């Protein structure tokens, strides 16, 4: 019997890779993916559980799918609700007790079991399995094709994290860092290249420490060199890099290899040395200032993105002012921010001097107001300049193509709206375009007609 499944994934790109692997495993076992959850025998939600807002989103999604499941049951049809990912890893028993609509709970070490456990569920009518272990690479060992028409693919190079930041629940959810062998990643990248993907985005909890657990040293440079030997992939992009392990060798490689996009997503979390120390971060403000100067001096046109946190326990006004001043000084092209959330099982959740949520929100608003102007100025400085742009899609109900230059990562950075002066433009094309307008959250470009 052919079963249907609907798969909703929440959270970061790393979660998306896990969902793609589950989808591939199910399809290989004769399950059919459907876009309408009302048509699915198995309603699967791959959850995020990193911070409070993500947990609320996941619970809302589970309840929404539970309603659809009940509608099918009311019609006399069979349907099952499956929860996977970070939330299920953190709170498996709570999900069982408080969300009885859920039929199966799988953790972060069990994605490879999805088809097997769904089969048991269909056959037995119930499955009381609860997550065992944390974090696994097993589901990534089989080559899988993303079920999408986008021209880029994520390459998840490791799982888990061993840094132990005071605020972060990831080690408790995903376990310590587990890196994938270079040979395995090269094989996957070669496969993506053969499928026509134009950009590979390297992701991990800490990309710059790739290989330290497997090879005894940070091996991102070795991995990049191996990937650069694959001729079929035009672009490589680095996400989630960390400053304390960013080597001069990596800077040189990025500066000398055009296929490694001059773009870095480097979360710093704060700029007050006192708060950084309390967070158990290894960087200092002076170190970061020197690193960003070195990066910009050596990598032409570098686009810098970062993430910071406000409201960490003990954050005083002077600490926040240091963060604000540092952001104004460094002038990140893009910056994300979030308000501290006391997560169970983390050191920071037990710290004294918790910051009042209203004050934290005020600081967040002040910071993002300053950053909005910085980002808008950075975008407007690109007006009149031309860039190769990868066409990702077409605007719904509009005349524009949608694309990205080297300076935009998918989903988190502004989109480029493209008016084509070239006929027969297609998704996956890389075209030279001139930026003609820009604001904080979007850019507009024209294809450069003479290039055709």
């Amino acid at each position: 019997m052919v079963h249907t499944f609907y798969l909703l994934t929440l959270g970061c790109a790393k979660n998306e890779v896990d969902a793609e692997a589950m989808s591939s495993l199910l399809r290989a076992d004769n399950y059919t993916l459907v876009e309408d959850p009302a048509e699915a025998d198995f309603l699967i939600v791959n959850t995020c559980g990193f911070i409070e807002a993500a947990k609320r989103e996941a619970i809302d999604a589970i309840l929404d799918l539970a309603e659809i499941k009940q509608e099918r049951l009311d019609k006399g049809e069979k349907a099952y609700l499956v929860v996977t990912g970070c939330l299920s890893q953190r709170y498996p028993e709570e999900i069982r007790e408080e969300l009885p609509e859920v039929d199966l709970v799988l953790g972060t070490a069990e994605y490879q079991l999805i088809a097997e456990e769904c089969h048991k569920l269909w056959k037995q009518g119930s499955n009381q399995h609860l997550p065992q272990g944390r974090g696994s690479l097993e589901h990534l060992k089989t080559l899988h094709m993303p079920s999408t028409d986008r021209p880029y693919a994520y390459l998840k190079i490791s799982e888990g994290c061993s840094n132990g930041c005071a605020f972060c629940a990831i080690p408790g959810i995903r376990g310590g860092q587990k890196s994938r062998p270079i040979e395995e990643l090269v094989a996957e990248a070669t496969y993506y290249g053969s499928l026509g993907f134009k950009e590979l985005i390297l992701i991990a909890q800490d990309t710059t420490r790739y290989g330290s657990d497997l090879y005894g040293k940070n091996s991102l440079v070795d991995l990049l060199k191996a990937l650069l030997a694959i001729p079929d992939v035009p672009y490589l992009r680095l996400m989630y890099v960390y400053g304390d392990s960013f080597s001069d060798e990596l800077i040189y490689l990025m500066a000398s290899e055009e296929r490694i996009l001059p773009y870095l997503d480097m979360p710093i979390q704060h700029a007050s040395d006192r708060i950084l120390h309390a967070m158990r971060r290894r960087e200092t403000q002076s170190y970061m200032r020197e690193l960003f100067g070195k990066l910009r001096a050596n990598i032409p046109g570098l686009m810098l993105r970062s993430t910071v946190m406000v409201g960490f326990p003990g954050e005083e006004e002077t600490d926040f002012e240091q963060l604000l001043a540092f952001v104004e000084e460094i002038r990140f092209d893009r910056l994300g921010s979030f308000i501290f959330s006391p997560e169970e099982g983390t050191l920071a959740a037990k710290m004294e001097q918790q910051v009042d949520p209203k004050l934290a929100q005020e600081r967040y608003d002040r910071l993002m107001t300053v950053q909005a102007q910085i980002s808008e100025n950075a975008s407007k400085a690109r007006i009149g300049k031309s860039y190769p742009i990868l066409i990702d899609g077409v605007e719904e109900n509009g005349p524009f193509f949608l694309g990205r230059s080297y300076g935009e990562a998918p989903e988190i950075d502004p989109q480029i709206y493209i008016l084509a002066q070239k006929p027969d433009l297609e998704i996956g094309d890389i075209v030279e375009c001139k930026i003609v307008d820009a604001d904080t959250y979007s850019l507009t470009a024209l294809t450069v007609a003479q290039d055709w």
Side-chain angles (χ1 to χ4, degrees):
M1 180 177 180
V2 176
H3 295 301
T4 56
F5 72 96
Y6 171 81
L7 178 54
L8 172 66
T9 188
L10 305 172
C12 65
K14 296 177 286 292
N15 247 23
E16 189 173 330
V17 172
D18 297 331
E20 289 173 347
M22 283 194 292
S23 177
S24 182
L25 289 167
L26 284 165
R27 285 179 282 136
D29 204 29
N30 208 32
Y31 289 72
T32 299
L33 175 66
V34 295
E35 295 185 3
D36 184 354
E39 299 176 356
D41 298 326
F42 294 93
L43 298 153
I44 305 169
V45 54
N46 189 38
T47 61
C48 177
F50 177 49
I51 57 177
E52 187 62 31
K55 288 184 279 188
R56 288 197 299 268
E57 181 185 24
I59 291 171
D60 288 344
I62 292 169
L63 293 175
D64 288 344
L65 291 179
E67 290 184 6
I68 296 173
K69 169 193 167 182
Q70 188 59 49
E71 290 173 0
R72 290 203 59 173
L73 295 177
D74 291 342
K75 295 177 183 178
E77 301 170 342
K78 293 176 71 172
Y80 296 97
L81 179 54
V82 180
V83 179
T84 70
C86 294
L87 189 75
S88 60
Q89 183 69 42
R90 292 190 78 177
Y91 308 107
E93 295 181 358
E94 291 86 344
I95 291 173
R96 281 288 190 209
E97 294 173 4
E98 299 178 24
L99 296 169
E101 303 92 339
V102 175
D103 300 294
L104 173 63
V105 180
L106 291 179
T108 59
E110 300 175 323
Y111 296 112
Q112 71 277 5
L113 301 178
I114 184 66
E116 174 186 342
E117 294 299 328
C118 283
H119 179 71
K120 290 179 184 177
L121 189 58
W122 186 269
K123 185 177 181 180
Q124 299 171 4
S126 66
N127 191 331
Q128 296 302 308
H129 172 92
L130 287 176
Q132 306 292 317
R134 295 176 300 170
S136 173
L137 299 173
E138 196 64 32
H139 62 295
L140 301 174
K141 291 183 178 179
T142 301
L143 294 176
H144 59 275
M145 183 176 71
S147 52
T148 176
D149 60 355
R150 69 193 184 196
Y152 61 89
Y154 291 106
L155 188 64
K156 189 173 183 179
I157 63 175
S158 66
E159 173 63 282
C161 185
S162 300
N163 286 333
C165 296
F167 56 83
C168 186
I170 292 298
I173 298 171
R174 298 275 180 170
Q177 178 174 280
K178 304 177 186 69
S179 298
R180 300 173 65 190
I182 289 177
E183 297 78 11
E184 184 178 308
L185 292 166
V186 168
E188 184 171 327
T190 301
Y191 174 63
Y192 288 147
S194 71
L195 294 174
F197 288 96
K198 301 297 177 63
E199 180 180 325
L200 291 185
I201 305 172
L202 277 63
I203 56 173
Q205 296 297 336
D206 182 349
T207 304
T208 29
R209 279 195 172 78
Y210 165 77
S212 59
D213 58 305
L214 188 61
Y215 301 113
K217 67 182 183 71
N218 295 343
S219 303
L220 180 59
V221 169
D222 296 333
L223 172 60
L224 286 169
K225 288 179 178 178
L227 295 176
L228 287 167
I230 303 170
D232 295 332
V233 180
Y235 298 139
L236 301 173
R237 184 185 299 272
L238 301 179
M239 302 291 291
Y240 313 114
V241 300
Y242 281 75
D244 66 313
S245 53
F246 209 101
S247 66
D248 288 346
E249 187 181 11
L250 181 54
I251 295 175
Y252 174 79
L253 185 65
M254 289 190 66
S256 58
E257 291 288 349
E258 291 185 355
R259 290 169 61 196
I260 304 177
L261 297 174
Y263 174 103
L264 289 172
D265 174 45
M266 184 184 295
I268 64 168
Q269 305 304 352
H270 217 280
S272 161
D273 286 351
R274 192 176 72 85
I275 297 300
L276 287 167
H277 179 73
M279 288 178 167
R280 298 184 66 179
R281 303 283 294 187
R282 299 180 181 90
E283 304 94 335
T284 62
Q285 183 181 134
S286 62
Y287 174 86
M288 291 188 293
R289 180 179 290 109
E290 180 181 353
L291 176 61
F292 289 133
K294 185 188 297 185
L295 288 168
R296 281 180 164 150
N298 288 278
I299 304 174
L302 177 66
M303 190 72 67
L304 273 177
R305 178 182 181 87
S306 191
T307 305
V308 297
M309 177 191 298
V310 297
F312 188 81
E315 182 190 60
E316 298 176 356
E317 184 63 22
T318 53
D319 299 305
F320 174 71
E321 291 290 348
Q322 287 186 56
L323 172 59
L324 195 61
F326 191 74
V327 167
E328 291 181 305
E329 174 191 348
I330 300 301
R331 307 191 73 78
F332 296 102
D333 299 281
R334 314 273 162 64
L335 182 76
S337 179
F338 62 101
I339 297 171
F340 169 76
S341 173
E343 296 300 314
E344 302 97 319
T346 65
L347 292 173
K350 302 175 183 178
M351 290 181 177
E352 298 179 356
Q353 295 181 290
Q354 298 283 328
V355 176
D356 181 83
K358 290 184 178 179
L359 178 57
Q361 183 66 55
E362 290 174 5
R363 289 174 178 171
Y364 172 89
D365 292 340
R366 286 169 59 192
L367 176 67
M368 295 313 293
T369 297
V370 168
Q371 180 58 40
Q373 190 61 59
I374 293 172
S375 293
E376 182 172 343
N377 291 342
S379 292
K380 287 185 174 179
R382 301 174 72 190
I383 294 175
K385 298 179 181 178
S386 295
Y387 304 92
I389 291 182
L390 175 60
I391 305 299
D392 280 348
V394 180
E395 183 190 26
E396 186 176 358
N397 302 321
F400 294 97
F401 286 90
L402 302 175
R404 297 177 295 107
S405 74
Y406 79 90
E408 291 78 39
E411 300 178 22
I412 58 173
D413 288 330
Q415 288 187 311
I416 301 180
Y417 294 83
I418 302 153
L419 284 171
Q421 300 182 90
K422 171 190 179 295
D424 303 323
L425 200 60
E426 296 182 354
I427 294 174
D429 287 347
I430 299 174
V431 295
E432 190 76 10
C433 298
K434 179 185 288 188
I435 307 296
V436 296
D437 194 16
D439 59 28
T440 305
Y441 303 110
S442 66
L443 300 97
T444 304
L446 294 174
T447 55
V448 180
Q450 60 264 32
D451 286 350
W452 314 109

